């Protein structure tokens, strides 16, 4: 439950940043639903692979990519420590 909450929270933070920057719509002429699906897919792929191509401004952007690159291992260690503490 903690992991799912964290992943959803991180995804909502990403979508909030994209909405504030007025960058939700993708560069291709797609509808809002397709643009959201593409943004979510790019974020999930970047979370698990650290794909360098998503540093482009039309994808995650350099600053958020770096933030995501630092956040992923720190959150993994935190969640693992919480999991181990709850099982002892």
């Amino acid at each position: 439950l903690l992991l799912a909450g964290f992943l959803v929270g991180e995804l909502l933070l990403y979508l909030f940043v994209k909405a504030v920057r007025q960058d939700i719509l993708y560069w291709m002429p797609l509808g809002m639903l397709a643009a959201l699906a593409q943004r979510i897919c790019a974020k999930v792929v970047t979370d698990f692979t650290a794909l360098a191509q998503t540093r482009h401004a039309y994808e995650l952007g350099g600053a958020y990519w770096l933030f995501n690159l630092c956040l992923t291992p720190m959150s993994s260690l935190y969640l693992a420590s919480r999991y181990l503490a709850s099982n002892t």
Side-chain angles (χ1 to χ4, degrees), residues 6-7 10-11 14 40-51 54 60 64-65 68-69 71-73 76:
F6 179 79
L7 292 175
E10 188 181 5
L11 184 61
Y14 168 68
I40 290 170
C41 288
K43 173 76 168 88
V44 169
V45 166
T46 303
D47 280 347
F48 292 103
T49 63
L51 186 65
T54 56
L60 263 65
Y64 197 88
W65 184 84
N68 195 46
L69 188 67
L71 183 67
T72 300
S76 298

Side-chain angles (χ1 to χ4, degrees), residues 16-60:
F16 175 74
V17 168
K18 284 293 184 183
V20 166
R21 296 182 65 206
Q22 298 177 349
D23 198 23
I24 287 282
L25 291 177
Y26 197 55
W27 58 271
M28 293 189 300
L30 302 172
M32 180 61 83
L33 186 60
L36 281 173
Q38 187 280 331
R39 294 291 183 199
I40 290 170
C41 288
K43 173 76 168 88
V44 169
V45 166
T46 303
D47 280 347
F48 292 103
T49 63
L51 186 65
Q53 282 83 352
T54 56
R55 289 182 303 161
H56 192 274
Y58 288 151
E59 298 294 336
L60 263 65

